[in-house]
Amino acid sequence: MNPRDPRPGARAEDPRTARTKARLREALLAECAGRPLAEIGVSAVVRRAGVGRATFYLHYEDLTGLGVDACADVVHAGVDALHTWRTGPRARPPVRPPAALAEFLAGAAARAALYRTLLLPGGGGPLGDRLHRELRERARAERAADGAPEAELVASAVAATFTGVLADWLHGGIPADPAGLADRLWTLLLALHRT
């Protein structure tokens, strides 16, 4: 199993490739700490990572591809934050959101400038597509394992709601602090799960 791709059957990545990609991801995140992705060039990223330009293009088509890869952890963290309450099959979700959800939202706010580039209002964009897909699959699998009805429908609604609300919040369309948004979002998601 590939540590960057937890899907069953994913092949392990060559250690040298993994190290190079990690350096490129770290370099991009460091560059994005000071300016938007649109203002960053491949030259700045490869210089900071200490690799050649050809090496960059061996692994990534463009900076957006690197950005999505660099933000993949936010996808996994978001999916995990919504499911930290699960202690086993048929576990009942708590009335209050898990602490991990507010922590995830606070972390997302800290990198909002980068995420806004990749996660468009309404939940579109390359990061939104990935978040929606992974969240939908996790919710579908858990509902199916629990024997809950409408696994496909509810999983799709949960993924769309979470991804869309997160995107709109990061773009300033929903005024709330991370803890307040966690409470409001959790209420919506519980209502969807109860259908």
Side-chain angles (χ1 to χ4, degrees):
M1 183 182 290
N2 181 344
R4 294 290 298 172
D5 189 352
R7 294 174 297 181
R11 290 193 330 211
E13 192 170 49
D14 175 88
R16 290 172 298 175
T17 299
R19 283 191 300 273
T20 300
K21 285 182 165 183
R23 288 189 358 225
L24 287 166
R25 287 190 301 267
E26 290 167 12
L28 179 71
L29 293 174
E31 289 292 325
C32 286
R35 54 194 169 141
L37 182 62
E39 295 178 12
I40 295 170
V42 171
S43 298
V45 173
V46 298
R47 187 172 34 256
R48 185 181 285 266
V51 302
R53 197 174 182 88
T55 300
F56 172 87
Y57 287 110
L58 179 66
H59 300 295
Y60 298 102
E61 185 175 318
D62 54 22
L63 284 175
T64 298
L66 173 58
V68 171
D69 191 33
C71 295
D73 291 341
V74 78
V75 171
H76 303 305
V79 172
D80 289 345
L82 290 175
H83 295 89
T84 57
W85 57 270
R86 289 191 65 90
T87 56
R90 300 195 181 275
R92 297 263 182 222
V95 174
R96 305 274 308 144
L101 181 56
E103 291 165 10
F104 163 76
L105 293 170
R111 287 209 169 122
L114 174 59
Y115 297 156
R116 281 192 297 263
T117 303
L118 304 168
L119 180 62
L120 304 177
L127 188 60
D129 294 345
R130 187 166 181 173
L131 177 58
H132 183 272
R133 186 174 56 251
E134 290 192 24
L135 184 53
R136 183 185 64 221
E137 180 49 35
R138 175 95 169 254
R140 188 209 57 75
E142 288 181 356
R143 285 188 70 83
D146 290 348
E150 303 286 358
E152 298 289 341
L153 177 66
V154 173
S156 184
V158 165
T161 299
F162 182 77
T163 305
V165 168
L166 175 63
D168 289 349
W169 176 67
L170 288 172
H171 282 275
I174 301 172
D177 64 12
L181 182 64
D183 287 339
R184 294 161 63 193
L185 185 53
W186 190 250
T187 301
L188 284 173
L189 297 175
L190 287 181
L192 289 171
H193 274 290
R194 289 186 186 120
T195 58

